[in-house]
C-alpha cells in the first residue's frame, strides 16, 4: 500500500520494506483508479471515442477557460464558442520517476508485473483523492463565453480592427456591414415619408444614422469594458456584429455587487446617450435632418437600454437578476439557474408577443391586419430574437455547470507516472523499464539526472516493434522549454491558462522544490475537460 512521506509525495514500499531512494528524482503512485495501458501501444478500436478522430502525430492544445462576454443591441448575442469535438484520450495516468539505470523491484501489492501483451492493462493502486485548492469561482457572464477543450486558440481577430480604446481592440465583424445596409434601406424609406425633398440623398443620411447607432452600441460596450478594467478583469476584445456588440471579459466578477455594477453600466450609458440626444433635439427643428437623426438615435438608445434591462439571461438585466439571487442565496449557481429560466420564459414571450404587439399598434405603429408581408417580417424577427435569447440562456446553464466542475482539473491527479532515461537508451529498453514500473511516460535526463526533454507518445507509437531496439529515445523527444515545466499544484482555470500559454502535447510536472513529479498529457486534460462538460450539476 502507499503511504505519504515527509515531503507530502506518496512513496511505495517494497516487499521487504521501504524502497531505497532513486537517483533520478521522486516517484509517486497514481491517483487514478483506471487500468494502465502500457506505453508504446496504440489505443485499441474498442475504446469509445468522444469526438472525431485525429492523426497520431497531431498536437493538441490546452483548453481555453470561459470568457465572460457582454453583448449589446436590441438583443444580446450569445457566445458562439463551442466545446471542441477533438478526440479526448481515454487514459488518465500519474507519473513516477524510477531509476534510469536499474529497474526497480516492485511489491506485488503496489504494481502488477510487466506484461508482454501489447494491450494488456496493468492494475494500479488507488490513492486517496486530494481536495481541490480553494479558488475564486469562474463564471462571469453565464453562457456568453463557452470554454473550449484543448485546441489551437484563435487570434483576437474576427473582423476589421478599428482601434484600441483603453488598450482593448475593437473589431467590426463582416456581419455588421449587412446590418448597416439593412438599416440604411429601412431608415431611408422612413426618411422618404418625413423628408421627401431629400430624394436619393436620404440613403446617405440613413447610412450616417446606422454608423451613429453602432457608435452608441460601442459606447455601451465600452461602459462594460471600463467597469471590468476597474475591477481588474482583463478584456480580450470588443466586437461589433450582426445584432449588436460583444465585450469579451476573460474573468468573472468576484462578488455579486461587482457583477451587478458590471451589468448595469451598459444600459445606464444607453439611457445617458438617449438623454443627450433628447437635449440635442431641443436645439434644432424637428422637421430637419439633424432633428430626425437625433430623434432616431434617442429612440434607438431607449430601445437598447429597455431591452437589455429585461431580467433574463443572456441580457444585462439577466445578469443583474443573477447578482441579486447570488447575493440572497450566497450561491452563484442559484442565480444563474433563476436568471436562465427567466430568460427562456422571456424568449417564449418575445416569440409570441412581439408580432401581436406590432399588429395591434401598441409599439407606436399603425394597427395591421393579420397576413401579408409585414406579418411575416414581424414573425421572422421575433423568431430570431427568441432563438438568440433561448440559446444564450441555455449556454448560461451549461457554463455554470462547467465552472462548478472546473476546479476538478488538477495537475496532481491527471499526471502520468514517468521513468527517466538517458537519450542514448534504446526505445525498447526504455519501454521495458516503463512497463516494469507501470509508467506511461518517458523523461530524457542528462548524466546528473536533470530533465532535458520529453519523449512524445505519438512518436513512440509510430516506431515499429522491430526497429525499437535500434532507435534511441533522444530522437523521439521534444526539448523542454520553460513553459513546458508546470507546477503540480496547478488546478482549474489556472491550469488551463498555463497550458494555453505554451501549447504542447506533454508537459513536465514538477514539485515546488523543482523535483520531477511526472508528465502531464494535454490529451488527458482534454478528456477530463470533456467529462466535466458532460457531467450533470
Amino acid at each position: 500500500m502507499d503511504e505519504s512521506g515527509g515531503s507530502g509525495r506518496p512513496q511505495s514500499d517494497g516487499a521487504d520494506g521501504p524502497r531505497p531512494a532513486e537517483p533520478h528524482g521522486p516517484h509517486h503512485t497514481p491517483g487514478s483508479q483506471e487500468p494502465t495501458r502500457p506505453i508504446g501501444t496504440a489505443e485499441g478500436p474498442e475504446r469509445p471515442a468522444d469526438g472525431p478522430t485525429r492523426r497520431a502525430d497531431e498536437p493538441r492544445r490546452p483548453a481555453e477557460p470561459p470568457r465572460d462576454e457582454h453583448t449589446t443591441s436590441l438583443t444580446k448575442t450569445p457566445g458562439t464558442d463551442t466545446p471542441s469535438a477533438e478526440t479526448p484520450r481515454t487514459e488518465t495516468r500519474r507519473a513516477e520517476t524510477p531509476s534510469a539505470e536499474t529497474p526497480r523491484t516492485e511489491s506485488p501489492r503496489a504494481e502488477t508485473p510487466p506484461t508482454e501483451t501489447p494491450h494488456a492493462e496493468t492494475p494500479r493502486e488507488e490513492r486517496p483523492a486530494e481536495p481541490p485548492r480553494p479558488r475564486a469561482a469562474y463564471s462571469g457572464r453565464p453562457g456568453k463565453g463557452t470554454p473550449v477543450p484543448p485546441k489551437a486558440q484563435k487570434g483576437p481577430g474576427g473582423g476589421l480592427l478599428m482601434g484600441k480604446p483603453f488598450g482593448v481592440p475593437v473589431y467590426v465583424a463582416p456581419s455588421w456591414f449587412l446590418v448597416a445596409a439593412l438599416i440604411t434601406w429601412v431608415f431611408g424609406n422612413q426618411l422618404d415619408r418625413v423628408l421627401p425633398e431629400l430624394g436619393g440623398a436620404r440613403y446617405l443620411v440613413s447610412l450616417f444614422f446606422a454608423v451613429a447607432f453602432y457608435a452608441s452600441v460601442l459606447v455601451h460596450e465600452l461602459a462594460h469594458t471600463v467597469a471590468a478594467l476597474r475591477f481588474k478583469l482583463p478584456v480580450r476584445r470588443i466586437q461589433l456584429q450582426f445584432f449588436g456588440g460583444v465585450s469579451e471579459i476573460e474573468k468573472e466578477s468576484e462578488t455579486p455587487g461587482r457583477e451587478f455594477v458590471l451589468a448595469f453600466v451598459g444600459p445606464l450609458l444607453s439611457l445617458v446617450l438617449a438623454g443627450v440626444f433628447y437635449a440635442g433635439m431641443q436645439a434644432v427643428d424637428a422637421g430637419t435632418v439633424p432633428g430626425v437623426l437625433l430623434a432616431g438615435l434617442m429612440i434607438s438608445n431607449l430601445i437598447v437600454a429597455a431591452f437589455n434591462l429585461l431580467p433574463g439571461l443572456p441580457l444585462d438585466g439577466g445578469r443583474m437578476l443573477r447578482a441579486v439571487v447570488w447575493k440572497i442565496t450566497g450561491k452563484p449557481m442559484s442565480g444563474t439557474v433563476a436568471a436562465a429560466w427567466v430568460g427562456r420564459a422571456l424568449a417564449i414571450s418575445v416569440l409570441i408577443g412581439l408580432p401581436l404587439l406590432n399588429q395591434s399598434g401598441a409599439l407606436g405603429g399603425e394597427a395591421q391586419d393579420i397576413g401579408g408581408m409585414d406579418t411575416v417580417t414581424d414573425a421572422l424577427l421575433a423568431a430570431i430574437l427568441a432563438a438568440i435569447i433561448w440559446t444564450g440562456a441555455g449556454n448560461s446553464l451549461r457554463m455554470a455547470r462547467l465552472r462548478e466542475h472546473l476546479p476538478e482539473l488538477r495537475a496532481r491527479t491527471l499526471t502520468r507516472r514517468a521513468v527517466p532515461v538517458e537519450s542514448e537508451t534504446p526505445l525498447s529498453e526504455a519501454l521495458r523499464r516503463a512497463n516494469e514500473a507501470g509508467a506511461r511516460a518517458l523523461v530524457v535526463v542528462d548524466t546528473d539526472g536533470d530533465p532535458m526533454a520529453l519523449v512524445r507518445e505519438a512518436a513512440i507509437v509510430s516506431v515499429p516493434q522491430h526497429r525499437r531496439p535500434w532507435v534511441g529515445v533522444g530522437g523521439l523527444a521534444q526539448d523542454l522549454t520553460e513553459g513546458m515545466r508546470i507546477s503540480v499544484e496547478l488546478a482549474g482555470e489556472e491550469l488551463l491558462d498555463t497550458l494555453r500559454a505554451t501549447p504542447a502535447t506533454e508537459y513536465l510536472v514538477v514539485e515546488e522544490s523543482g523535483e520531477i513529479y511526472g508528465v502531464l498529457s494535454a490529451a488527458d486534460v482534454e478528456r477530463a475537460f470533456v467529462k466535466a462538460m458532460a457531467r450533470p450539476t
Side-chain angles (χ1 to χ4, degrees):
M1 63 181 294
D2 295 338
E3 298 178 357
S4 297
S7 64
R9 297 189 310 276
Q11 298 178 348
S12 299
D13 293 342
D16 301 322
R19 191 173 58 226
E22 301 174 1
H24 292 293
H27 55 274
H28 67 277
T29 50
S32 171
Q33 302 182 27
E34 301 179 24
T36 301
R37 175 173 58 85
I39 187 172
T41 61
E43 297 184 8
E46 72 280 3
R47 301 185 184 277
D50 295 328
T53 59
R54 67 160 73 226
R55 300 193 313 271
D57 59 346
E58 182 177 348
R60 295 174 182 261
R61 297 290 296 269
E64 180 177 354
R67 286 197 302 272
D68 179 14
E69 297 181 1
H70 285 262
T71 60
T72 301
S73 76
L74 303 185
T75 69
K76 293 288 188 172
T77 305
T80 56
D81 294 339
T82 54
S84 169
E86 296 174 358
T87 304
R89 301 295 181 86
T90 57
E91 298 289 336
T92 300
R93 297 295 176 263
R94 306 286 308 280
E96 182 172 352
T97 52
S99 170
E101 302 299 332
T102 307
R104 62 185 188 202
T105 303
E106 296 290 339
S107 168
R109 296 172 299 162
E111 301 290 347
T112 300
T115 176
E116 298 300 327
T117 305
H119 292 282
E121 304 288 337
T122 304
R124 306 176 46 198
E125 275 195 45
E126 177 181 354
R127 175 184 171 190
E130 298 183 6
R133 294 185 296 124
R135 281 187 49 101
Y138 187 92
S139 65
R141 181 172 187 188
K144 304 309 295 177
T146 307
V148 284
K151 64 177 181 180
Q153 180 188 5
K154 296 181 180 179
L160 179 64
L161 177 63
M162 302 301 294
K164 293 186 178 182
F166 306 102
V168 178
V170 176
Y171 292 88
V172 175
S175 60
W176 176 86
F177 296 96
L178 177 61
V179 177
L182 180 61
I183 293 176
T184 300
W185 178 68
V186 173
F187 193 71
N189 290 338
Q190 294 177 349
L191 281 177
D192 190 36
R193 293 193 295 268
V194 179
L195 299 171
E197 65 273 12
L198 287 178
R202 67 182 184 272
Y203 291 109
L204 291 178
V205 176
S206 59
L207 177 61
F208 178 83
F209 169 79
V211 174
F213 169 70
Y214 268 86
S216 301
V217 172
L218 176 60
V219 171
H220 180 118
E221 293 303 326
L222 285 174
H224 290 307
T225 297
V226 171
L229 296 177
R230 175 65 178 81
F231 295 144
K232 302 186 184 304
L233 303 176
V235 182
R236 181 169 179 252
R237 69 175 178 178
I238 297 174
Q239 186 182 53
L240 300 180
Q241 52 188 15
F242 187 82
F243 264 102
V246 177
S247 298
E248 295 184 2
I249 301 173
E250 297 187 341
K251 299 287 182 181
E252 105 162 322
S253 301
E254 296 179 355
T255 65
R258 291 186 175 185
E259 173 83 353
F260 188 93
V261 171
L262 192 59
F264 180 63
V265 291
L268 177 62
L269 258 291
S270 293
L271 290 173
V272 170
L273 286 176
V276 170
F277 292 130
Y278 177 78
M281 289 172 56
Q282 309 310 308
V284 300
D285 294 333
T288 63
V289 171
V292 173
L293 286 176
L294 289 171
L297 291 172
M298 180 199 69
I299 294 173
S300 62
N301 276 277
L302 283 176
I303 294 175
V304 168
F307 198 89
N308 282 303
L309 284 174
L310 293 176
L313 288 172
L315 306 177
D316 285 332
R319 297 203 61 180
M320 296 162 63
L321 174 62
R322 174 181 182 267
V324 171
V325 177
W326 177 4
K327 179 66 175 180
I328 295 174
T329 63
K331 299 178 180 179
M333 183 63 183
S334 298
T336 301
V337 171
W341 279 105
V342 172
R344 287 178 169 177
L346 180 62
I348 297 176
S349 300
V350 168
L351 179 63
I352 299 174
L354 185 59
L356 295 179
L357 290 175
N358 280 339
Q359 291 167 9
S360 65
L363 297 181
E366 297 180 356
Q368 304 172 5
D369 295 331
I370 297 178
M373 191 63 187
D374 289 339
T375 302
V376 174
T377 302
D378 292 341
L380 179 60
L381 177 61
I384 293 174
L385 298 183
I388 289 174
I389 297 173
W390 183 278
T391 303
N395 286 342
S396 301
L397 292 175
R398 285 190 292 272
M399 291 310 98
R401 178 180 66 206
L402 174 61
R403 287 167 185 132
E404 280 201 336
H405 294 305
L406 195 60
E408 298 175 11
L409 300 180
R410 303 197 300 271
R412 186 176 292 276
T413 56
L414 293 175
T415 299
R416 299 178 176 185
R417 44 171 88 208
V419 293
V421 292
E422 295 185 353
S423 60
E424 298 82 7
T425 306
L427 178 57
S428 59
E429 171 61 17
L431 294 180
R432 185 191 65 80
R433 297 179 189 177
N435 289 333
E436 277 191 350
R440 295 195 55 233
L442 300 173
V443 178
V444 178
V445 298
D446 58 18
T447 55
D448 296 326
D450 295 326
M452 301 169 52
L454 300 178
V455 181
R456 295 177 294 114
E457 183 179 21
I460 295 176
V461 174
S462 65
V463 179
Q465 291 279 352
H466 67 278
R467 295 198 63 242
R468 293 181 177 182
W470 316 105
V471 176
V473 294
L476 307 175
Q478 179 180 4
D479 291 340
L480 282 172
T481 62
E482 187 60 29
M484 292 174 62
R485 296 172 184 261
I486 66 173
S487 170
V488 71
E489 300 299 334
L490 292 179
E493 176 190 343
E494 186 180 4
L495 173 62
L496 298 182
D497 284 339
T498 301
L499 301 190
R500 185 161 52 95
T502 307
T505 54
E506 286 92 12
Y507 299 84
L508 180 69
V509 181
V510 296
E511 297 277 8
E512 293 183 358
S513 62
E515 295 178 303
I516 298 174
Y517 187 78
V519 172
L520 177 66
S521 171
D524 293 340
V525 178
E526 179 183 8
R527 185 181 69 89
F529 185 92
V530 173
K531 280 189 174 182
M533 284 289 293
R535 188 178 302 127
T537 302

